[in-house]
Amino acid sequence: MASCRKQSTASDISIYPGLKDGANEDEISTGNTEDSLLSSATSTETISSKKKETTQCCPERKKGRCAQNCCLASGVLLITWGVVTIFYKPYDMFMDQRIQMTPGLPPYEWWLDPPEEVLLKVYLFNVTNAEEFLNGTEPKLRLAEVGPIVYREKLTHTNPTFNDNGTFTYTANRTAIYLPELNTIDLNATVVMPNLGVLLVPAYLYDAPFFTKIGVNLMMHSLKSEPFIKTTVYNYLWNVTDPLLDLAQSLAPNLVPTKNMGILNKIYEELEDNVTVYIGSQFGHRKFFLIDKYDGSDNLPYHKGRCLDKITNSTEGVSYPQYLTRNDTLRYWRKTLCKVGYLYYSGDEKMYGLDAFKYDLTPSTYDRTTPSYDDCYQGIPKLPNGLADVSACYYGIPFAASFPHYLHGDEVIKTYVDGLQPDADKHSSYVIVEPNTGIPLHGIARSQSNLVMNNMKGFNAKIQKFSDITIPLVWFEYNQVGIPWYIEWLIYFVVVLVPVLQHLFTAFLLSTGAFLMFLYFKLRKRSASHLVENKALAFESEVFLKP
């Protein structure tokens, strides 16, 4: 210290009380100076040592506090996160996110551009005894199945709109693409089929006044129209015409709204529909993608409110609600079916390594119901069980839907024609669904189109041969052959892997958080121990330095 290093002067001597008169001033001064210098040096070293210690220890203390705080914050965060995953699992997050149909995420993008996985197989009923039936030598038509003629049904979704009430509206369009590589039937092969261009007019006018029937007879005679047509497979599917249709349309446009009665042409020329479905948390998992409105109405299309049955809460089969159970009944709508069908659980299945449920279309789908006023598919006159009137979807022309080969129908309808061979394995309908996501893994929808010919009294002799029978024309199989690998992988990841991984993830969060909390208390204890030691050393130094 500078004050300790100053040379003593005469004026300074008075501060030494022990100084006597005549004492040697130099001795006193020298002695005191040496003591002072020694004390000064010791003090300087002590202070310097403390400063050095402070300079070295402060960063370590700060680092220690940072480590403690990091351990504490991270531990609390991970434990909290782990507890949250116990009550709100990652699996639930995936499922909740799917029903939102968020643009940019896989569920929405895959719906917007659906995979081409549906095959349409068409089977015609070729008439093998047309001449014998018309001349009366054989009382019943004899049929032989021709097919399958295989197409791929391409589904497109356009005009997606998120509505204010939480529903979702889009336009669905379906087209049929011929697949030559999957066909063994030549489209130019010749078949003999009921001539829809001729038979539709008397079938529609079966109860018309006698003079109207006479007029139809004269037109058929003058145009040489025949009840059977020999044509190619392609033409019967896409281009069935007859001069009688042309004349009838010119006389009564409302009676004959189209001149082309090709089976597939009729199905696909107007197969564009505006569909509104339920999505989002407002409606929940159990109503996800069920139909709210179809072409703006909750009534069955074309029935104009005449049916008590509604299209609401049915599905087109693209997707089903999430978290299905074995007790659920699935309502299935298909425009070509022209009615809502009911699918019931029939057993467990295993596909793609996934547990799935199989739902069968009930055998009573085309039966009469009670009370009769609740049955808008009974037709006039009333059809037997196994046939459902679908004329509302076909310009009022008396078409009836059934299972292929009249499977599950009353015995009476099986006597109409010869050659049918109903088989439950070949002619029933079902869907296999992964129950948690509601995604169909495989499905087959089969139905048959039939022309209802009531009492043909009043028409010419050839037409009267068809009285009181229902003629099978064609049956269809819509076969979802599978799902793309990327959808298969996503379902497997969400349904199988995520529930397992989420337990491991929760355990990891909780154990890591607990370890960090343990580390925090350990660091804190060590820090407190160092603090006590430092205080003890500081106390000892102060005691030692005191005079």
Side-chain angles (χ1 to χ4, degrees):
M1 290 169 35
S3 60
C4 296
R5 294 192 183 96
K6 283 177 28 177
Q7 297 293 328
S8 299
T9 61
S11 61
D12 294 327
I13 295 175
S14 60
I15 66 171
Y16 298 102
L19 184 61
K20 297 181 181 179
D21 292 341
N24 190 330
E25 186 175 321
D26 290 336
E27 293 177 3
I28 297 173
S29 175
T30 300
N32 282 286
T33 301
E34 290 174 355
D35 292 340
S36 178
L37 288 173
L38 179 61
S39 176
S40 175
T42 303
S43 177
T44 302
E45 289 175 3
T46 303
I47 293 173
S48 176
S49 176
K50 288 182 177 181
K51 287 183 177 180
K52 184 177 181 181
E53 181 185 352
T54 303
T55 303
Q56 292 178 348
C57 291
C58 279
E60 293 181 2
R61 288 178 182 174
K62 289 180 179 178
K63 289 180 181 178
R65 290 195 191 98
C66 287
Q68 293 177 39
N69 292 337
C70 285
C71 288
L72 177 62
S74 300
V76 171
L77 177 62
L78 291 178
I79 290 175
T80 303
W81 191 2
V83 172
V84 169
T85 59
I86 294 175
F87 298 98
Y88 189 58
K89 300 177 177 61
Y91 174 77
D92 296 329
M93 296 171 61
F94 279 109
M95 301 299 284
D96 289 344
Q97 183 57 53
R98 179 172 179 255
I99 64 175
Q100 303 300 326
M101 289 296 287
T102 304
L105 294 182
Y108 177 87
E109 297 302 324
W110 293 343
W111 166 85
L112 189 63
D113 186 19
E116 299 177 352
E117 300 296 330
V118 176
L119 295 181
L120 167 62
K121 298 181 179 180
V122 184
Y123 298 82
L124 299 177
F125 289 106
N126 181 44
V127 179
T128 61
N129 66 336
E131 292 184 8
E132 292 83 353
F133 177 77
L134 291 179
N135 63 29
T137 58
E138 293 189 13
K140 291 194 293 186
L141 290 173
R142 187 169 64 247
L143 308 179
E145 183 181 277
V146 176
I149 303 98
V150 185
Y151 293 83
R152 185 180 303 282
E153 186 177 76
K154 173 63 177 175
L155 171 63
T156 58
H157 293 134
T158 56
N159 306 320
T161 303
F162 293 88
N163 302 315
D164 294 337
N165 65 351
T167 59
F168 180 60
T169 300
Y170 58 90
T171 300
N173 183 273
R174 290 174 169 85
T175 55
I177 303 169
Y178 181 70
L179 301 177
E181 68 277 10
L182 296 182
N183 277 277
T184 58
I185 303 298
D186 186 357
L187 291 181
N188 293 318
T190 301
V191 289
V192 176
M193 301 291 296
N195 188 352
L196 295 179
V198 173
L199 292 178
L200 290 181
V201 176
Y204 184 81
L205 298 174
Y206 78 96
D207 60 349
F210 178 75
F211 291 105
T212 301
K213 295 179 180 179
I214 293 296
V216 172
N217 288 333
L218 291 174
M219 287 191 295
M220 285 191 290
H221 179 73
S222 63
L223 297 172
K224 299 181 179 180
S225 297
E226 294 293 330
F228 291 106
I229 182 174
K230 188 175 183 179
T231 185
T232 64
V233 170
Y234 175 83
N235 281 339
Y236 199 74
L237 293 177
W238 295 100
N239 189 31
V240 173
T241 59
D242 190 271
L244 180 62
L245 279 180
D246 296 338
L247 181 58
Q249 189 180 54
S250 63
L251 297 175
N254 293 331
L255 175 62
V256 185
T258 178
K259 293 187 292 184
N260 184 354
M261 293 306 300
I263 300 292
L264 292 184
N265 179 74
K266 175 62 190 75
I267 290 174
Y268 286 100
E269 71 174 348
E270 297 180 357
L271 207 58
E272 181 175 286
D273 307 285
N274 294 314
V275 187
T276 300
V277 296
Y278 301 112
I279 63 169
S281 55
Q282 177 180 344
F283 299 104
H285 301 276
R286 300 286 291 161
K287 296 195 73 171
F288 176 62
F289 240 75
L290 294 181
I291 295 174
D292 173 39
K293 304 243 189 286
Y294 203 88
D295 287 333
S297 173
D298 59 358
N299 293 314
L300 290 176
Y302 305 104
H303 287 80
K304 300 178 181 178
R306 292 189 297 267
C307 278
L308 296 180
D309 197 9
K310 302 291 183 183
I311 198 169
T312 304
N313 294 325
S314 62
T315 172
E316 288 190 291
V318 176
S319 183
Y320 295 90
Q322 299 189 155
Y323 300 122
L324 292 174
T325 70
R326 294 175 178 85
N327 295 322
D328 283 328
T329 299
L330 308 182
R331 288 166 47 87
Y332 173 75
W333 159 260
R334 177 81 190 192
K335 194 172 182 179
T336 52
L337 195 65
C338 197
K339 74 188 302 290
V340 174
Y342 293 84
L343 295 149
Y344 293 91
Y345 169 82
S346 62
D348 288 3
E349 297 284 339
K350 194 85 171 180
M351 292 191 69
Y352 309 112
L354 300 166
D355 293 323
F357 294 162
K358 181 181 179 183
Y359 296 86
D360 289 338
L361 188 65
T362 175
S364 61
T365 296
Y366 303 101
D367 288 356
R368 305 283 60 77
T369 61
T370 53
S372 59
Y373 62 79
D374 195 21
D375 183 3
C376 59
Y377 308 107
Q378 60 182 319
I380 303 174
K382 186 167 67 174
L383 296 169
N385 288 326
L387 292 172
D389 175 39
V390 293
S391 59
C393 295
Y394 297 95
Y395 311 120
I397 297 168
F399 280 125
S402 69
F403 282 106
H405 289 250
Y406 291 147
L407 177 69
H408 303 309
D410 282 353
E411 288 301 317
V412 63
I413 68 175
K414 297 177 183 178
T415 64
Y416 291 156
V417 297
D418 288 334
L420 300 185
Q421 298 176 338
D423 186 325
D425 292 334
K426 296 179 180 179
H427 304 138
S428 59
S429 300
Y430 63 88
V431 64
I432 298 174
V433 185
E434 195 293 305
N436 295 286
T437 60
I439 294 176
L441 306 179
H442 175 59
I444 293 181
R446 300 177 174 119
S447 64
Q448 181 171 297
S449 292
N450 312 278
L451 179 61
V452 179
M453 303 293 291
N454 291 303
N455 193 322
M456 294 291 107
K457 183 179 179 180
F459 292 103
N460 63 49
K462 290 182 178 180
I463 298 300
Q464 289 187 41
K465 296 285 185 181
F466 294 90
S467 290
D468 300 318
I469 66 172
T470 299
I471 309 171
L473 301 173
V474 59
W475 71 271
F476 309 96
E477 175 183 292
Y478 293 92
N479 187 344
Q480 181 192 333
V481 295
I483 56 176
W485 67 266
Y486 49 87
I487 296 181
E488 175 190 340
W489 179 89
L490 180 65
I491 300 174
Y492 189 85
F493 175 75
V494 172
V495 175
V496 178
L497 296 183
V498 169
V500 176
L501 293 176
Q502 70 186 8
H503 294 303
L504 298 176
F505 184 59
T506 299
F508 169 77
L509 292 176
L510 293 176
S511 59
T512 305
F515 173 76
L516 291 175
M517 293 298 294
F518 169 77
L519 193 60
Y520 162 73
F521 286 111
K522 187 174 181 179
L523 290 174
R524 184 174 180 182
K525 182 178 179 181
R526 183 183 299 175
S527 176
S529 176
H530 282 298
L531 182 60
V532 171
E533 290 176 3
N534 289 338
K535 286 184 177 181
L537 289 173
F539 177 75
E540 290 174 1
S541 298
E542 290 177 3
V543 171
F544 175 76
L545 292 174
K546 285 183 179 180

